[in-house]
Amino acid sequence: MTKKMAKLTLEDSNEIIELPIHQGTIGPDVVDVGGLTAKGLFTYDPGFVSTASCESAITYIDGDEGVLLHRGYPIEQLAEKSDFLETCYLLLNGELPDQAQKAKFENGIRYHTMVQEQLSDFFKGFPRNAHPMAIMVGVVGALSAFYHDSLDITNDEHRRIAAYRLIAKMPTIGAMCYKHAIGQPFMYPRNDFSFAENFLHMMFSTPCEEPKVNPILAKAMDTIFLLHADHEQNASTSTVRLAGSTGANPFACISSGIAALWGPAHGGANEAVLTMLDEIGNESRIEEFIRRAKDKNDPFRLMGFGHRVYKNFDPRAKVMRQICDEVLDDLGVENDPLFRIARRLEKIALEDDYFIERKLYPNVDFYSGIILKAIGIPTSMFTVIFAIGRTPGWISHWDEMISNPYRIGRPRQLYTGHARRDYPGK
Ligand code: CMC
């Protein structure tokens, strides 16, 4: 794998340190700095801006070109031709399934959607106004208390069942969070529904009526899950890998990913977009908020704009924008004041020099927030939906790490505190 070498010279010594350069299939070369520790040196890279934490064959992103590939397939093609569960299979197994493999996988997921009845009792302990992500972190971690037959991380079959359970049960748990908040009975999943239909059913049906699921909204929901399925070494996936590197069980690892996703700079952004649109409240106030976003003395940022990796456009946002149009059109809500503010904000920001110069484009969360709002999903549930979608990505990365040689993740630091000093004597 190693062909080229980098040479590092230190100002205060004549030594030249040779560092191997690794080349991936595509993408920039990677300098292997692992040997520096032996020379008494560490690299310093807060925010991991220039650091590859692992080798991976799952997802490739070219932020400048707006490219996102899962196992080599462009996200636009997957969004158009595939569906969420097929994409889950692809992420987990490396190849698209044939028809029989697809049917078997879908069936496997379908028959793991129910949760242990006792798990429902957990919800009673949470206040009605608890944030659903707070419940998710707890309940998903607690799955490890119930499913002892999938905790041996060295056993391929245990890992496979844990993957099925997590993908299948996340929508059930997510919908239970919502039902708990509004005081309605939990709805059991139905085996005659697709993955996305089931989620909408568990969210919006009641035992009093036959369930009705709008196929356009179910398709939009499926695509939202698919577009969130993986995004290589983002904060939550890196958290899952780091937790997994200690040998922690898969449910605990995914729970740590959910916690990392919760923050407004990551998965919490779709919720923050709607909070911001509500705060703007009126089209006449958009300019004021744009001004605030540009003011360095004001911590306010336009939520749903910018991305750490995509500095041109986010290919997921392009697909999401199109679904956004379809959903708003189907529901006939395009003239709703909130959606008008969103459209106007998008237009103004795209034409503003500040945003153009910094390559700040609407990201996937800008549009997903709007679609979810239009579907009738409360804003507090938005990050839960991101978590449901991201679950196959988290598991695929965890499984990839566990299936290969790995070491515990343990970053180092640049220490700037006190040097050794003695405890003051009395
Ligand atoms: N509004 C106003 N200014 C911004 C914004 C924004 N949303 N985002 C970045 N900037 C400015 C920032 O102030 C800086 O300006 P300057 O160079 O003059 O100091 C410049 O753009 C670069 O910003 P940065 O903070 O260095 O960029 P980053 O790569 O560290 O941060 C980000 C990326 C996504 C955290 C950031 O753009 C942001 O906070 N956006 C809003 C939150 C959001 O929508 N997050 C969802 C990300 S997509 C979902 C996911 O993958 O999790």
Side-chain angles (χ1 to χ4, degrees):
M1 179 174 159
T2 303
K3 292 191 188 93
K4 293 195 276 182
M5 300 295 276
K7 290 192 169 99
L8 177 69
T9 35
L10 303 178
E11 218 175 46
D12 54 358
S13 103
N14 293 329
E15 190 184 3
I16 295 172
I17 302 172
E18 292 217 329
L19 302 168
I21 296 181
H22 302 310
Q23 287 172 307
T25 328
I26 34 176
D29 289 352
V30 175
V31 181
D32 184 340
V33 293
L36 284 181
T37 328
K39 307 276 180 193
L41 289 169
F42 298 128
T43 53
Y44 180 62
D45 183 20
F48 305 111
V49 181
S50 328
T51 298
S53 61
C54 61
E55 184 181 325
S56 180
I58 301 173
T59 290
Y60 173 75
I61 300 175
D62 182 334
D64 291 330
E65 295 299 322
V67 170
L68 169 60
L69 310 176
H70 292 324
R71 303 285 190 184
Y73 296 105
I75 191 70
E76 298 88 339
Q77 292 183 21
L78 292 171
E80 190 194 334
K81 298 179 180 167
S82 183
D83 56 46
F84 177 64
L85 283 188
E86 190 181 66
T87 303
C88 289
Y89 184 99
L90 173 70
L91 289 169
L92 287 167
N93 298 292
E95 293 297 335
L96 286 167
D98 60 28
Q99 262 188 341
Q101 288 167 326
K102 187 169 190 235
K104 190 168 171 221
F105 181 71
E106 285 175 354
N107 224 33
I109 299 295
R110 183 172 293 126
Y111 284 95
H112 279 102
T113 48
M114 277 203 301
V115 292
Q116 266 254 2
E117 202 60 22
Q118 235 183 313
L119 200 84
S120 319
D121 295 341
F122 273 49
F123 286 79
K124 293 195 190 117
F126 286 100
R128 295 269 176 213
N129 63 355
H131 195 286
M133 286 297 278
I135 306 182
M136 287 296 273
V137 172
V139 172
V140 173
L143 290 174
S144 48
F146 291 86
Y147 300 106
H148 299 280
D149 58 346
S150 47
L151 296 184
D152 179 1
I153 63 165
T154 63
N155 181 317
D156 292 353
E157 189 55 14
H158 277 224
R159 290 207 306 280
R160 191 188 65 81
I161 298 173
Y164 276 51
R165 285 194 168 127
L166 280 158
I167 293 168
K169 293 182 201 307
M170 286 288 282
T172 313
I173 295 170
M176 287 168 89
C177 293
Y178 175 59
K179 289 296 195 190
H180 174 72
I182 60 171
Q184 285 188 3
F186 298 141
M187 295 300 294
Y188 287 113
R190 282 180 51 146
N191 290 345
D192 55 336
F193 280 162
S194 71
F195 188 87
E197 283 171 340
N198 234 334
F199 176 66
L200 291 175
H201 153 65
M202 290 186 286
M203 283 286 291
F204 297 119
S205 300
T206 69
C208 317
E209 284 175 356
E210 267 305 297
K212 278 191 227 90
V213 179
N214 176 334
I216 293 183
L217 301 191
K219 172 80 184 93
M221 201 67 242
D222 191 83
T223 314
I224 288 177
F225 288 141
L226 184 153
L227 292 175
H228 284 97
D230 189 40
H231 215 225
E232 50 116 311
Q233 314 308 325
N234 55 84
S236 57
T237 304
S238 298
T239 303
V240 170
R241 277 189 182 259
L242 199 56
S245 76
T246 69
N249 74 67
F251 304 105
C253 294
I254 300 306
S255 168
S256 72
I258 296 172
L261 186 74
W262 194 355
H266 190 8
N270 50 14
E271 180 177 345
V273 169
L274 263 290
T275 309
M276 176 190 75
L277 293 177
D278 268 337
E279 205 187 329
I280 296 175
N282 191 304
E283 280 181 74
S284 64
R285 297 187 64 205
I286 292 177
E287 297 287 356
E288 174 199 329
F289 278 79
I290 299 261
R291 237 188 342 269
R292 283 186 57 196
K294 297 195 290 194
D295 180 355
K296 289 289 153 226
N297 299 317
D298 188 329
F300 174 77
R301 281 187 168 198
L302 272 197
M303 286 294 128
F305 283 77
H307 199 276
R308 165 58 64 83
V309 179
Y310 295 118
K311 299 299 180 194
N312 192 340
F313 68 93
D314 179 342
R316 302 166 303 166
K318 268 192 164 177
V319 180
M320 206 68 101
R321 191 184 196 284
Q322 199 186 328
I323 306 171
C324 188
D325 288 343
E326 283 164 21
V327 168
L328 297 190
D329 189 44
D330 181 65
L331 296 173
V333 293
E334 52 298 18
N335 280 326
D336 180 291
L338 190 120
F339 300 128
R340 287 174 61 99
I341 293 171
R343 283 271 182 263
R344 190 121 184 79
L345 183 69
E346 176 198 21
K347 187 166 184 310
I348 293 175
L350 283 173
E351 288 166 358
D352 189 296
D353 281 348
Y354 173 94
F355 291 90
I356 294 169
E357 277 160 20
R358 288 169 182 76
K359 302 188 169 177
L360 301 170
Y361 298 91
N363 57 45
V364 66
D365 289 324
F366 183 73
Y367 299 110
S368 68
I370 297 169
I371 300 168
L372 295 174
K373 172 80 180 170
I375 291 179
I377 291 173
T379 43
S380 61
M381 283 292 293
F382 288 7
T383 316
V384 168
I385 283 158
F386 193 154
I388 297 170
R390 184 53 56 86
T391 300
W394 288 332
I395 302 170
S396 303
H397 283 274
W398 170 80
D399 189 60
E400 182 181 65
M401 182 182 70
I402 303 288
S403 319
N404 290 289
Y406 66 98
R407 299 176 76 181
I408 186 170
R410 175 50 167 97
R412 302 302 299 253
Q413 63 172 3
L414 169 66
Y415 177 68
T416 52
H418 285 286
R420 187 206 145 101
R421 53 182 172 162
D422 289 324
Y423 187 85
K426 285 198 179 154

